[in-house]
Amino acid sequence: MKYYEYENYDPSFPDQPVVDQYLPIWSRLPAFGSKPAFIWAHDDNNNTQHTILTYAQLNASVDQISSHLLTASSPLQRGDTLLLLSSPGLDFVELIFASQRAGLLSVPIVPPHPCFSNENYHHLLRVISQTKPKAAIAHSSYISSIQHYVSDHNNINLNLKLVHALQTMQWISIEDINNKHVANNNKRGGCESLTYNGCRENDVYLVQYTSGATGIPKPVLVTAGSAAHNVRAARKVYDLHPNTVIVSWLPQYHDAGLMFLLLTIVSGATCVLTSPTSFIKRPRLWLELISEFKATCTPVPSFTLPLVLKRGGVDKGVSPINLSHLRNLILINEPIYRDSVEEFVAALGPFGLSPCSVSPSYGLAENCTFVSSAWRSESDVYSSSSFHDFPTHKKLLPVARLCRKEEQEDMEILVVNEETHEPVEDGVEGEIWVSSPSNGSGYLGHPSLTREVFHGRLRNMVGRCFLRTRDTGIVKGERRYLFVTGRCEDVIKLQNGEKIIHPHYIESAAYNSCTKLLRGGCVAAFEVCENVVAVVAELQRIEEGVMVDDEVLRRICNGIKEGVLKKENVEVGWVVLVKSESVPKTTSGKLQRWLAKEKVLAGKMKVVMEMKFGDDDVRRRTSPIGSLLSLL
């Protein structure tokens, strides 16, 4: 069955003020009633099962769920806060849109394992204390586990603050809601009322937590109108439409994963979803879904490309790979290195991947998600024939092509001197500032930080208010390409501030010094004291019980020091080798250098060996974990 080639829609189709209002309109069109809006792909031992949710089914479900959430038996009223603890899937998709239609403020987060071991509850406790939800919605099995946890008085690890927080909320079962509207799940059409009673443009409908890449995740307030503007801007830049087929395994709770749920509906497209766990377990699944559904668009973090080449088994699967329909390979999560993209395109070119599809992009939670992309459609007068035509800045690809002032619409991107708050000249690095209707309303419960971040003002200029992204960037070339070079908080200053370097360059050089034994994307560099740089690097998984030679580990540490010095002219003073999965990351795969620094200084890393240079201080922290000598 084909999920594309649907009749075109009127190009003058009026944009709606909030995303949910597109749903009833699409569902009433004859070509969309039975068209898949979302397809969930469940991968079980290489056997992928699909569940389809059509536009008509989604609209009917959203209508029924929103009505149920506001019934007399429900603890919720319009404007209340609802914590979404649903696992990834179509249930979550329905809840996101139903919350908007019910006029609720939704807070979606990754549900922590309900046994709450290994102190995995900190973010949940933080979210509950900050957002004060009236109720939480989850699957019945999860709710049962929560109830068991709070009632288990013999549990010596019971956290009393968490118990109190969990008991103060009402709990709503997803299964209970589904049972009440299952009879109507297949009906065509949507709301019969001509009056829309859901969120209005200026209503805060979403609390979206930042990724936590540079600090503890912060709650961003997002209005329904700013979210709609953001996905409409992305739709225009990526040239998405009803014939678009999207494949996404990104976490659905925030940033690009959530945006592409909204973007699907605004574009009238079809989106094939699977879980991040399924992708990490079997990276080839991503390529198989693109091939099977003839996907035209897929958003992925930049670390996906080397991961798929290393573990994807492109040539080994049963299902054939065909990427010839792919028009937008959207790369997110800076830095985006040109070399890794070129290697991926070269390897997948024989399977139909076009260099013209590569779309390096930029976004952040404080701007809903999407900010810009260097990609332009074929109709764009300045379009490049492929990413090979993009310029490079210190190994990086650009993420935007800034318009001239007379061409700008309602969004403005500037590079500004962080201290003087004055725009810098092209070719000079500074902080990226964004002024856009997509900007969030601020951080919940952080008024001073909100003023600092969301109300940036240019020096001696009255007018637009800017979002200070805390990302560093530089604009280069006649076409004014924007390169995201790093993050303000992560910048390493050496030689009394005279030498400035972004840690990702150190991390790349460290990994390349021993690619066979270190895990790609799992190396963190940071400054531990004045002019002393530390590198924490994960070792590849190896079999337990096989001896590791200390000399091999020493050679890895020395190789990291020498590799960084040779490539970046930076002296590394401390190398720490740790077990696999020790370096902390966000749910979207970004390094948490600040947390890695905290953990290694507190002795909370699973250290195999550490070496401090200058004093011959070499320490072995753990028992032997494997044999590496044959790989050197």
Side-chain angles (χ1 to χ4, degrees):
M1 178 180 178
K2 294 183 178 181
Y3 301 118
Y4 55 97
E5 295 179 356
Y6 285 85
E7 69 181 29
N8 200 358
Y9 68 108
D10 187 344
S12 62
F13 177 78
D15 279 321
Q16 303 300 309
V18 299
V19 175
D20 177 46
Q21 286 188 263
Y22 286 84
L23 256 181
I25 296 175
W26 288 128
S27 65
R28 292 191 187 106
L29 296 179
F32 282 80
S34 59
K35 177 186 177 178
F38 295 95
I39 302 173
W40 178 255
H42 176 70
D43 193 53
D44 184 16
N45 296 324
N46 296 353
N47 182 25
T48 307
Q49 303 293 326
H50 304 144
T51 304
I52 295 175
L53 187 62
T54 68
Y55 272 86
Q57 290 170 337
L58 176 59
N59 186 58
S61 295
V62 166
D63 206 26
Q64 294 289 327
I65 293 172
S66 62
S67 297
H68 178 78
L69 290 174
L70 299 178
T71 58
S73 60
S74 172
L76 295 167
Q77 296 180 357
R78 281 183 56 85
D80 284 342
T81 302
L82 176 64
L83 181 61
L84 304 186
L85 288 170
S86 171
S87 54
L90 298 182
D91 285 334
F92 180 86
V93 173
E94 292 176 334
L95 288 172
I96 277 291
F97 289 102
S99 298
Q100 186 173 101
R101 191 168 296 183
L104 300 172
L105 172 58
S106 59
V107 187
I109 68 169
V110 179
H113 195 283
C115 69
F116 301 120
S117 60
N118 301 320
E119 299 186 342
N120 70 337
Y121 56 81
H122 289 301
H123 184 55
L124 174 61
L125 184 56
R126 182 185 307 114
V127 169
I128 295 174
S129 63
Q130 289 177 338
T131 65
K132 298 177 175 54
K134 187 74 169 291
I137 189 165
H139 289 281
S140 57
S141 58
Y142 193 85
I143 297 175
S144 297
S145 298
I146 292 289
Q147 293 171 341
H148 179 267
Y149 173 80
V150 300
S151 62
D152 186 6
H153 302 295
N154 296 321
N155 185 352
I156 60 175
N157 297 318
L158 206 66
N159 184 285
L160 297 182
K161 287 185 178 179
L162 178 64
V163 169
H164 176 72
L166 295 173
Q167 289 177 329
T168 58
M169 293 186 301
Q170 297 287 331
W171 288 87
I172 301 172
S173 165
I174 292 174
E175 285 79 4
D176 184 47
I177 293 178
N178 287 341
N179 288 337
K180 292 187 183 321
H181 80 269
V182 68
N184 299 315
N185 199 41
N186 293 316
K187 77 175 184 179
R188 297 178 63 88
C191 306
E192 295 303 322
S193 173
L194 297 178
T195 303
Y196 182 76
N197 296 315
C199 288
R200 304 299 194 267
E201 281 185 88
N202 295 325
D203 291 343
V204 176
Y205 93 104
L206 175 72
V207 175
Q208 176 176 234
Y209 275 81
T210 60
S211 65
T214 57
I216 294 174
K218 297 180 286 293
V220 180
L221 298 170
V222 179
T223 66
S226 62
H229 174 272
N230 196 245
V231 291
R232 286 198 302 265
R235 179 189 65 185
K236 179 179 179 181
V237 168
Y238 295 127
D239 193 24
L240 305 185
H241 45 73
N243 288 338
T244 295
V245 179
I246 302 166
V247 165
S248 174
W249 53 263
L250 298 176
Q252 300 173 13
Y253 308 96
H254 69 116
D255 283 358
L258 178 56
M259 182 193 78
F260 269 87
L261 302 183
L262 309 182
L263 188 53
T264 297
I265 298 304
V266 169
S267 305
T270 293
C271 185
V272 183
L273 299 166
T274 192
S275 73
T277 303
S278 296
F279 166 75
I280 296 298
K281 181 180 178 181
R282 197 169 71 87
R284 195 181 195 273
L285 173 64
W286 172 54
L287 301 178
E288 291 175 0
L289 293 176
I290 293 173
S291 304
E292 179 181 358
F293 291 96
K294 296 181 173 62
T296 60
C297 175
T298 184
V300 291
S302 54
F303 71 79
T304 302
L305 308 189
L307 175 65
V308 168
L309 291 184
K310 192 166 189 176
R311 294 184 45 229
V314 177
D315 297 319
K316 297 179 180 179
V318 176
S319 301
I321 302 299
N322 180 358
L323 309 180
S324 61
H325 291 84
L326 196 60
R327 193 163 180 258
N328 293 105
L329 173 57
I330 299 173
L331 302 180
I332 55 179
N333 283 22
E334 62 283 342
I336 302 174
Y337 282 96
R338 185 186 194 95
D339 288 349
S340 66
V341 177
E342 286 183 337
E343 185 180 3
F344 185 82
V345 171
L348 277 298
F351 296 90
L353 180 64
S354 169
C356 299
S357 67
V358 176
S359 310
S361 301
Y362 173 54
L364 69 163
E366 286 86 347
N367 190 64
C368 287
T369 295
F370 174 77
V371 173
S372 61
S373 175
W375 184 86
R376 290 292 186 273
S377 66
E378 294 176 359
S379 60
D380 191 287
V381 66
Y382 295 114
S383 177
S384 296
S385 57
S386 79
F387 87 94
H388 293 299
D389 298 319
F390 291 155
T392 302
H393 172 73
K394 294 184 178 180
K395 308 175 186 177
L396 303 177
L397 287 174
V399 297
R401 195 180 305 170
L402 303 186
C403 299
R404 295 181 178 87
K405 287 187 177 180
E406 60 269 19
E407 296 174 341
Q408 290 174 350
E409 297 180 2
D410 56 357
M411 177 183 289
E412 185 174 6
I413 303 174
L414 297 177
V415 178
V416 176
N417 184 296
E418 190 179 347
E419 296 179 356
T420 67
H421 294 186
E422 295 175 318
V424 301
E425 296 181 357
D426 288 1
V428 177
E429 186 172 294
E431 182 184 3
I432 300 172
W433 287 25
V434 178
S435 177
S436 167
S438 295
N439 289 355
S441 300
Y443 296 122
L444 176 64
H446 296 276
S448 60
L449 189 59
T450 293
R451 285 192 297 271
E452 178 185 347
V453 175
F454 289 86
H455 299 281
R457 298 283 185 178
L458 295 174
R459 185 179 181 181
N460 299 326
M461 291 186 66
V462 178
R464 303 186 79 158
C465 186
F466 286 84
L467 166 68
R468 300 185 61 180
T469 68
R470 307 303 295 151
D471 290 322
T472 57
I474 189 170
V475 177
K476 299 182 69 176
E478 292 183 3
R479 296 189 182 178
R480 308 196 70 234
Y481 283 96
L482 172 68
F483 298 83
V484 176
T485 54
R487 293 186 172 86
C488 297
E489 285 85 351
D490 289 341
V491 168
I492 296 175
K493 297 181 179 180
L494 302 172
Q495 300 171 6
N496 298 321
E498 294 181 5
K499 181 179 178 62
I500 296 176
I501 187 168
H502 295 286
H504 59 82
Y505 290 113
I506 297 174
E507 293 155 359
S508 178
Y511 170 69
N512 288 330
S513 71
C514 192
T515 56
K516 288 185 178 180
L517 306 181
L518 301 179
R519 295 189 70 202
C522 301
V523 180
F526 42 83
E527 194 174 6
V528 288
C529 58
E530 188 175 358
N531 293 328
V532 177
V533 174
V535 173
V536 178
E538 285 188 14
L539 293 169
Q540 291 280 5
R541 289 189 184 91
I542 41 186
E543 294 181 5
E544 294 286 343
V546 183
M547 292 298 296
V548 176
D549 191 296
D550 277 357
E551 182 57 29
V552 175
L553 298 175
R554 287 175 181 266
R555 288 164 65 182
I556 297 173
C557 292
N558 281 310
I560 289 175
K561 174 179 171 60
E562 294 169 4
V564 173
L565 182 61
K566 181 179 179 180
K567 292 287 187 182
E568 302 299 336
N569 195 28
V570 172
E571 288 277 1
V572 174
W574 188 14
V575 174
V576 185
L577 302 180
V578 297
K579 287 187 176 182
S580 178
E581 299 183 1
S582 295
V583 174
K585 292 184 178 183
T586 69
T587 56
S588 55
K590 298 178 183 177
L591 286 170
Q592 293 177 300
R593 298 181 182 95
W594 65 277
L595 188 54
K597 178 179 178 178
E598 281 188 9
K599 286 191 170 187
V600 77
L601 291 177
K604 295 183 178 180
M605 283 279 197
K606 296 178 181 178
V607 176
V608 178
M609 175 178 280
E610 59 179 302
M611 180 179 289
K612 292 182 179 179
F613 298 97
D615 58 5
D616 293 326
D617 185 4
V618 180
R619 302 174 187 172
R620 185 71 171 273
R621 290 283 191 88
T622 66
S623 59
I625 60 169
S627 176
L628 305 174
L629 189 59
S630 62
L631 295 177
L632 286 176

